[in-house]
Amino acid sequence: MARRSRKDEILQAALACFTEAGVDGTTIEMIRDRSEASIGSLYHHFGNKERIIAALYLAGTAEYAALLEAGFATTDSAEACVKLLVTSYVDWVVANPDWARFVLHSRGRVEAGEQGELLREANREHFQRIFEALSAYREQGLFKDMPADCFASVIIGPTHDFARNWLAGRTHTQLADCRELLAQVAWESVRANP
Amino acid sequence: MARRSRKDEILQAALACFTEAGVDGTTIEMIRDRSEASIGSLYHHFGNKERIIAALYLAGTAEYAALLEAGFATTDSAEACVKLLVTSYVDWVVANPDWARFVLHSRGRVEAGEQGELLREANREHFQRIFEALSAYREQGLFKDMPADCFASVIIGPTHDFARNWLAGRTHTQLADCRELLAQVAWESVRANP
Amino acid sequence: MARRSRKDEILQAALACFTEAGVDGTTIEMIRDRSEASIGSLYHHFGNKERIIAALYLAGTAEYAALLEAGFATTDSAEACVKLLVTSYVDWVVANPDWARFVLHSRGRVEAGEQGELLREANREHFQRIFEALSAYREQGLFKDMPADCFASVIIGPTHDFARNWLAGRTHTQLADCRELLAQVAWESVRANP
Amino acid sequence: MARRSRKDEILQAALACFTEAGVDGTTIEMIRDRSEASIGSLYHHFGNKERIIAALYLAGTAEYAALLEAGFATTDSAEACVKLLVTSYVDWVVANPDWARFVLHSRGRVEAGEQGELLREANREHFQRIFEALSAYREQGLFKDMPADCFASVIIGPTHDFARNWLAGRTHTQLADCRELLAQVAWESVRANP
DNA sequence: AATGAATGAGTGTTCATTCAT
DNA sequence: GATGAATGAACACTCATTCAT
């Protein structure tokens, strides 16, 4: 997240507060303190607390999507594609642990709020993009046959789960050290049996 | 959760509120309304809101643990054991969707609260029990070599991920319909390559 | 305060609570804890919190009055009488610091409560008794001429003031060490100039 | 107390409530009603109830200290100094009976609260100032020899005691009518015998 | 654009008291 | 007499939001 504009400073401050006190535990006053903006400024830029949360969420998922997009450009096999989904995610989480923790825990909230439709739209595009990238391989029968939503969970589920635990300080192993293992497992789990 | 005692009625009511309004969105007043207990009674039994949350959480994980324990008794192979972890979880989630949603989203909060150590203790026992059940097979080299915390995520990660999505109404497929698939994937992901 | 009956045990416990937490800071629950009586028992004996306070107050002032009465029996001069008022007070405070602190701070409260008239009656009797003891000397012109309420404050004021400070831990000097000095000052302040 | 700013209006309202209902009997809502400020404004200015009490207390003692200071400027004998301590006090109490009652009954509470150290500091300065004013006379042997804390109680004790009684409506005599008498008694009580 | 004093509905919690056993 | 679970009115305080400057 660039550290340039006032808006970004506020978002940065909000994220730090969310990390320390939780989203519900963070008050506007706390964000104001840390961002050194005024309350008026906060409301001028975002309108209300919910929209600060949504903006931070959407920016986070956009970053991961961009990372993925960049990867797709240099990817030319089913295996590389599947592994890319995992490694991009791991890389993003390791590079932005606070942001990742926030995103992982706030989805339901944003989804239920006034910006929910925006999120859902972004999500549809995200999935759409991934399926486009994979559809050719799928038609070639390179993947096990399973429902699309199940397919997604099988690929990314172990990574999500481990990332959650790592971010909560519950693992002995570092997330970065599992990068290849998780990618390999993902590939083996979805590839069609020879 | 039995529907007998006053304490359980309160817990039941709290869960319903959490499902409808979220944990933070639920007020003591709402729980009082639904449980038809008095505020004084609520505080007499639980002391504060945090402890209502913790009690509900702990009861939930205990139920899953009990289900698992019952399954271990009739399990006699590495494959059956691994699959049991998945199917028990799926069964519990399908039978108790509200409770599962609550547990899935409140872990961090309970962990951070005053009852956190209790939870961590319960968790240690839970993992201990699972590793006991699997250690013999592990020593026979029936599993891929990987860190223990990673091993756990590989087995249960896809199920956790899919269950989260299903509970949030984001899947087209029913969780119950993926029961065998998820169990099979779990087993294939951790078994040593022939 | 005798440690015999249940009522006295409760009063004793209440006083200890008042000392530690203040009268308003003390809850019925705290008194119950310390007295090892049940809530029901507390209410059976006293009816409500206010009446516990009043009973303790009245018992305290009665003790001082008794001490004074005993002294009057062996007193045969204006000087001895005046000094007795001071020394009896000092002796009682030193012997019952917690009780004294409570009495010194709760007069207004008891006076304003439902037992206020009882207190006022006791006070009238108390003053009546003192004036009886002093009236002969007064008629002999042994005292300075001043209003009765002023006379009382001149005698006991320094002692009250110092006792308050001593009970609050604000003095370097011990109250007991000022006993004779305060008595002497009282006598000099009210005796007619030769 | 000036009647200008919002803060002072709140303090004024609080004092009126304390007089009518007692400090513990006064709710924030009552102060809000009388001051015509909003609850938010109350908390914006003072933070919590305790700090309203402390601010009122400190302002009260500061006023008396100022009165005293002004008097010291025109005082040039031991007798005048001692009498000034009494008359300043009487004058302040007569001019501000509600405030005086509050100060007389809330010292322990403020002392025990978070602003206690502030109060103690103010007190130290107050005493320091008085002893400076009297030390020259003391060194000349114009006073009876007694501990400093006792000395203070002997001078102001009768006045404190009578003022308390007068403020509680327990005296027949007016405080103002005892002004000279109390000053004279104070002086006679501490001056060295000729 | 920026500011921050003011707002007040709503929150979790306390605690004196009652009453069925 | 004794018990203690149950009651619910009342409280101090929080915090997202507004708006005049």
Short mmCIF file of all heavy atoms in Angstrom, two decimals, chain D residues 43-65:
data_model
loop_
_atom_site.label_atom_id
_atom_site.label_comp_id
_atom_site.label_asym_id
_atom_site.label_seq_id
_atom_site.Cartn_x
_atom_site.Cartn_y
_atom_site.Cartn_z
N TYR D 43 -18.74 14.38 28.98
CA TYR D 43 -17.60 13.48 28.93
C TYR D 43 -16.47 14.06 28.09
O TYR D 43 -15.29 13.76 28.31
CB TYR D 43 -18.04 12.10 28.42
CG TYR D 43 -18.62 11.29 29.53
CD1 TYR D 43 -19.99 11.32 29.80
CD2 TYR D 43 -17.81 10.53 30.37
CE1 TYR D 43 -20.53 10.61 30.86
CE2 TYR D 43 -18.35 9.81 31.42
CZ TYR D 43 -19.70 9.85 31.66
OH TYR D 43 -20.23 9.15 32.72
N HIS D 44 -16.83 14.88 27.14
CA HIS D 44 -15.80 15.54 26.34
C HIS D 44 -14.95 16.43 27.25
O HIS D 44 -13.72 16.45 27.14
CB HIS D 44 -16.47 16.38 25.25
CG HIS D 44 -15.49 17.12 24.39
ND1 HIS D 44 -14.72 16.52 23.44
CD2 HIS D 44 -15.14 18.42 24.38
CE1 HIS D 44 -13.94 17.41 22.87
NE2 HIS D 44 -14.17 18.58 23.41
N HIS D 45 -15.58 17.14 28.16
CA HIS D 45 -14.86 18.08 29.00
C HIS D 45 -14.18 17.44 30.21
O HIS D 45 -13.14 17.89 30.65
CB HIS D 45 -15.81 19.18 29.50
CG HIS D 45 -16.15 20.18 28.44
ND1 HIS D 45 -15.19 20.90 27.77
CD2 HIS D 45 -17.34 20.56 27.91
CE1 HIS D 45 -15.77 21.70 26.89
NE2 HIS D 45 -17.07 21.50 26.94
N PHE D 46 -14.78 16.41 30.76
CA PHE D 46 -14.24 15.88 32.02
C PHE D 46 -13.81 14.42 31.99
O PHE D 46 -13.08 13.99 32.87
CB PHE D 46 -15.24 16.10 33.15
CG PHE D 46 -15.45 17.56 33.48
CD1 PHE D 46 -16.52 18.26 32.96
CD2 PHE D 46 -14.54 18.23 34.28
CE1 PHE D 46 -16.70 19.61 33.25
CE2 PHE D 46 -14.72 19.57 34.58
CZ PHE D 46 -15.79 20.27 34.06
N GLY D 47 -14.29 13.66 31.04
CA GLY D 47 -13.81 12.28 30.95
C GLY D 47 -14.58 11.30 31.80
O GLY D 47 -14.94 10.23 31.33
N ASN D 48 -14.83 11.64 33.07
CA ASN D 48 -15.68 10.79 33.89
C ASN D 48 -16.15 11.54 35.14
O ASN D 48 -15.70 12.65 35.41
CB ASN D 48 -14.99 9.47 34.25
CG ASN D 48 -13.74 9.68 35.07
OD1 ASN D 48 -13.65 10.60 35.85
ND2 ASN D 48 -12.76 8.83 34.86
N LYS D 49 -17.04 10.90 35.86
CA LYS D 49 -17.66 11.56 37.02
C LYS D 49 -16.61 11.95 38.06
O LYS D 49 -16.65 13.04 38.62
CB LYS D 49 -18.69 10.61 37.64
CG LYS D 49 -19.51 11.21 38.76
CD LYS D 49 -20.50 10.18 39.32
CE LYS D 49 -21.25 10.72 40.53
NZ LYS D 49 -22.15 9.71 41.12
N GLU D 50 -15.69 11.04 38.31
CA GLU D 50 -14.66 11.28 39.30
C GLU D 50 -13.91 12.58 39.02
O GLU D 50 -13.56 13.32 39.93
CB GLU D 50 -13.67 10.11 39.26
CG GLU D 50 -12.97 9.81 40.58
CD GLU D 50 -13.97 9.50 41.69
OE1 GLU D 50 -14.99 8.85 41.40
OE2 GLU D 50 -13.74 9.94 42.84
N ARG D 51 -13.68 12.84 37.76
CA ARG D 51 -12.90 14.04 37.42
C ARG D 51 -13.73 15.31 37.56
O ARG D 51 -13.17 16.39 37.76
CB ARG D 51 -12.32 13.90 36.02
CG ARG D 51 -11.21 12.84 35.98
CD ARG D 51 -10.12 13.18 34.99
NE ARG D 51 -10.41 12.67 33.67
CZ ARG D 51 -10.00 11.49 33.21
NH1 ARG D 51 -9.27 10.69 33.99
NH2 ARG D 51 -10.29 11.10 31.99
N ILE D 52 -15.03 15.21 37.46
CA ILE D 52 -15.88 16.37 37.74
C ILE D 52 -15.75 16.71 39.22
O ILE D 52 -15.57 17.86 39.61
CB ILE D 52 -17.36 16.07 37.40
CG1 ILE D 52 -17.51 15.80 35.90
CG2 ILE D 52 -18.25 17.24 37.83
CD1 ILE D 52 -18.92 15.44 35.49
N ILE D 53 -15.84 15.66 40.04
CA ILE D 53 -15.73 15.85 41.48
C ILE D 53 -14.38 16.47 41.84
O ILE D 53 -14.31 17.44 42.60
CB ILE D 53 -15.90 14.48 42.20
CG1 ILE D 53 -17.31 13.95 41.97
CG2 ILE D 53 -15.61 14.61 43.67
CD1 ILE D 53 -17.51 12.51 42.38
N ALA D 54 -13.33 15.93 41.27
CA ALA D 54 -11.99 16.43 41.60
C ALA D 54 -11.82 17.88 41.15
O ALA D 54 -11.24 18.69 41.88
CB ALA D 54 -10.93 15.54 40.95
N ALA D 55 -12.32 18.21 39.97
CA ALA D 55 -12.17 19.58 39.46
C ALA D 55 -12.87 20.56 40.39
O ALA D 55 -12.34 21.63 40.70
CB ALA D 55 -12.73 19.67 38.05
N LEU D 56 -14.05 20.19 40.84
CA LEU D 56 -14.82 21.04 41.72
C LEU D 56 -14.11 21.20 43.06
O LEU D 56 -14.04 22.30 43.63
CB LEU D 56 -16.21 20.41 41.94
CG LEU D 56 -17.34 21.30 42.44
CD1 LEU D 56 -17.45 22.57 41.63
CD2 LEU D 56 -18.65 20.51 42.39
N TYR D 57 -13.55 20.11 43.54
CA TYR D 57 -12.84 20.14 44.82
C TYR D 57 -11.63 21.05 44.74
O TYR D 57 -11.42 21.94 45.58
CB TYR D 57 -12.40 18.72 45.20
CG TYR D 57 -11.80 18.65 46.57
CD1 TYR D 57 -12.58 18.29 47.67
CD2 TYR D 57 -10.48 18.99 46.79
CE1 TYR D 57 -12.04 18.26 48.94
CE2 TYR D 57 -9.93 18.96 48.06
CZ TYR D 57 -10.71 18.60 49.13
OH TYR D 57 -10.17 18.57 50.40
N LEU D 58 -10.84 20.82 43.72
CA LEU D 58 -9.59 21.59 43.57
C LEU D 58 -9.88 23.08 43.38
O LEU D 58 -9.18 23.93 43.96
CB LEU D 58 -8.79 21.03 42.39
CG LEU D 58 -7.67 20.02 42.66
CD1 LEU D 58 -7.55 19.59 44.10
CD2 LEU D 58 -7.71 18.85 41.72
N ALA D 59 -10.90 23.39 42.62
CA ALA D 59 -11.25 24.80 42.42
C ALA D 59 -11.66 25.43 43.75
O ALA D 59 -11.32 26.58 44.04
CB ALA D 59 -12.38 24.92 41.40
N GLY D 60 -12.37 24.66 44.58
CA GLY D 60 -12.81 25.17 45.87
C GLY D 60 -11.63 25.48 46.79
O GLY D 60 -11.52 26.59 47.33
N THR D 61 -10.73 24.54 46.94
CA THR D 61 -9.61 24.79 47.84
C THR D 61 -8.72 25.90 47.28
O THR D 61 -8.13 26.66 48.05
CB THR D 61 -8.78 23.51 48.06
OG1 THR D 61 -8.42 22.98 46.79
CG2 THR D 61 -9.60 22.47 48.79
N ALA D 62 -8.66 26.00 45.97
CA ALA D 62 -7.85 27.07 45.37
C ALA D 62 -8.42 28.44 45.73
O ALA D 62 -7.69 29.39 45.99
CB ALA D 62 -7.78 26.90 43.86
N GLU D 63 -9.75 28.54 45.76
CA GLU D 63 -10.37 29.81 46.11
C GLU D 63 -10.02 30.23 47.53
O GLU D 63 -9.71 31.39 47.80
CB GLU D 63 -11.89 29.71 45.97
CG GLU D 63 -12.38 30.06 44.58
CD GLU D 63 -13.59 30.98 44.67
OE1 GLU D 63 -14.09 31.26 45.79
OE2 GLU D 63 -14.02 31.47 43.62
N TYR D 64 -10.11 29.28 48.46
CA TYR D 64 -9.77 29.59 49.84
C TYR D 64 -8.30 29.99 49.93
O TYR D 64 -7.94 30.96 50.60
CB TYR D 64 -10.07 28.40 50.75
CG TYR D 64 -9.49 28.51 52.13
CD1 TYR D 64 -9.75 29.64 52.92
CD2 TYR D 64 -8.68 27.51 52.65
CE1 TYR D 64 -9.19 29.76 54.20
CE2 TYR D 64 -8.14 27.62 53.92
CZ TYR D 64 -8.39 28.75 54.69
OH TYR D 64 -7.85 28.86 55.94
N ALA D 65 -7.45 29.26 49.22
CA ALA D 65 -6.02 29.57 49.24
C ALA D 65 -5.76 30.98 48.71
O ALA D 65 -4.92 31.72 49.25
CB ALA D 65 -5.25 28.54 48.42
#
